[in-house]
Amino acid sequence: MKYMMRRNQKPLLLLIMSICLLGPIGYVFANPSSQSDLATIQKHAYTFLRYVEEGRLDAAEASLSHVENIAEVTEIATQAGPYSLDQLIREARFTLMDKSASEEEVFHRAITVVLYVDALDKDEEQLWEVWKEELEHYIGSATASKSGVTNESLRYVYQLYERILPAMFISLDRDVANEVVAQQHSILNAIAETPSEERSLLLGTYQERLASIEAEEGQLFTDAADFLWIIWTIGGVIFLTLLYVGWRKYKGEKQIAAKTREHDS
């Protein structure tokens, strides 16, 4: 009887070990945002931007297609707030094909894609923060200008917001990102209609708020909700298995004791 119990316990222990080992491994391989796929997408995105800066638009379009194909297959970050990688790629491709588009507009669409893709890796320093600092610096220059905040300055400020916002929705709390969206919209809806002095005050307020916004730290795998769920599941399986093994052992010992009493009587 004891031999039979030990033999029955071996498959159960093997099952526990398999769950403990394969659970986290399966999570990593099932996670669509695997580091290898993400690194490949980022590589093609940076190449795409370099080709744009060099004026090699055909080569840029080919690199953009690589980004699109890998993202589609791996389903990496298809949507972040009101933005999606598919949408940003379509806008960038349309601008590349538009013969009347300026170099500035082509670069603008390209850098928006790159900042979005870069933000997908939350464990690294966020590139959009550099462009946020550029926005802060430009607002400071515009508000300090003797000629005041011109419509041309407002147009460029709006464009700088447009570049960083998609990436911000990946890295920031949704409420904070929506606050930045409200700032951008107010440039067209309110600031453009106000006198130069009031424009400077409003933009100065935005500059201070932007300076206080930082990308949230990347979430470690061991802090992820899914990982905690795996740990609780594995713990539960181990507890139930040990409880079952203990119950079987207790039951077997009772049977042995009963048969021993029968033989002794």
Side-chain angles (χ1 to χ4, degrees):
M1 174 65 71
K2 290 184 178 179
Y3 171 76
M4 291 292 294
M5 288 177 60
R6 286 196 298 269
R7 189 176 66 177
N8 290 336
Q9 290 174 15
K10 288 181 179 179
L12 293 174
L13 294 176
L14 289 174
L15 175 62
I16 294 173
M17 293 176 64
S18 299
I19 293 174
C20 293
L21 292 174
L22 297 180
I25 294 175
Y27 173 85
V28 172
F29 283 100
N31 188 351
S33 299
S34 66
Q35 289 299 314
S36 58
D37 291 331
L38 181 54
T40 303
I41 286 181
Q42 290 177 333
K43 174 185 174 182
H44 288 299
Y46 300 146
T47 303
F48 160 63
L49 180 61
R50 177 166 58 83
Y51 285 148
V52 166
E53 292 175 322
E54 294 173 356
R56 301 166 61 185
L57 301 188
D58 290 338
E61 203 284 327
S63 295
L64 186 63
S65 295
H66 286 310
V67 174
E68 183 178 38
N69 293 336
I70 299 172
E72 182 178 353
V73 171
T74 58
E75 298 182 355
I76 288 180
T78 56
Q79 189 77 29
Y83 301 96
S84 70
L85 183 56
D86 291 341
Q87 166 203 345
L88 299 178
I89 289 175
R90 285 195 303 270
E91 292 173 352
R93 177 174 288 116
F94 177 81
T95 307
L96 283 175
M97 298 172 62
D98 185 1
K99 302 299 182 182
S100 63
S102 66
E103 293 182 1
E104 180 188 13
E105 178 63 18
V106 174
F107 175 79
H108 167 64
R109 296 299 176 187
I111 194 64
T112 303
V113 172
V114 172
L115 294 182
Y116 187 96
V117 170
D118 176 83
L120 297 175
D121 189 353
K122 298 183 180 181
D123 293 330
E124 297 295 330
E125 184 178 354
Q126 301 293 288
L127 187 58
W128 65 261
E129 289 191 287
V130 177
W131 284 90
K132 180 178 72 73
E133 292 176 2
E134 168 68 15
L135 172 56
E136 296 168 22
H137 176 75
Y138 187 83
I139 289 176
S141 299
T143 54
S145 174
K146 292 182 179 180
S147 59
V149 181
T150 64
N151 287 337
E152 182 63 21
S153 296
L154 290 179
R155 185 194 68 82
Y156 190 64
V157 168
Y158 185 91
Q159 190 179 67
L160 288 176
Y161 270 103
E162 196 171 35
R163 290 178 184 178
I164 64 176
L165 272 169
M168 294 178 88
F169 268 93
I170 294 178
S171 303
L172 299 177
D173 178 81
R174 181 66 59 86
D175 291 339
V176 176
N178 281 328
E179 180 185 345
V180 182
V181 171
Q183 290 182 7
Q184 183 200 34
H185 288 174
S186 72
I187 293 173
L188 294 182
N189 299 336
I191 297 181
E193 305 296 330
T194 61
S196 179
E197 297 79 7
E198 295 182 25
R199 290 180 179 183
S200 297
L201 291 174
L202 289 170
L203 285 180
T205 301
Y206 292 171
Q207 181 187 24
E208 292 177 1
R209 179 63 181 114
L210 285 169
S212 68
I213 296 175
E214 296 181 356
E216 297 176 353
E217 294 184 2
Q219 188 178 47
L220 297 175
F221 171 67
T222 51
D223 292 333
D226 290 341
F227 180 79
L228 294 177
W229 180 85
I230 291 174
I231 293 298
W232 279 106
T233 301
I234 293 174
V237 170
I238 293 174
F239 174 76
L240 292 175
T241 302
L242 293 177
L243 187 64
Y244 173 74
V245 171
W247 174 76
R248 287 289 302 272
K249 182 179 179 181
Y250 171 74
K251 185 177 180 182
E253 290 177 348
K254 284 191 63 176
Q255 291 177 345
I256 292 174
K259 289 185 178 181
T260 300
R261 286 194 298 270
E262 291 178 2
H263 289 301
D264 292 340
S265 59

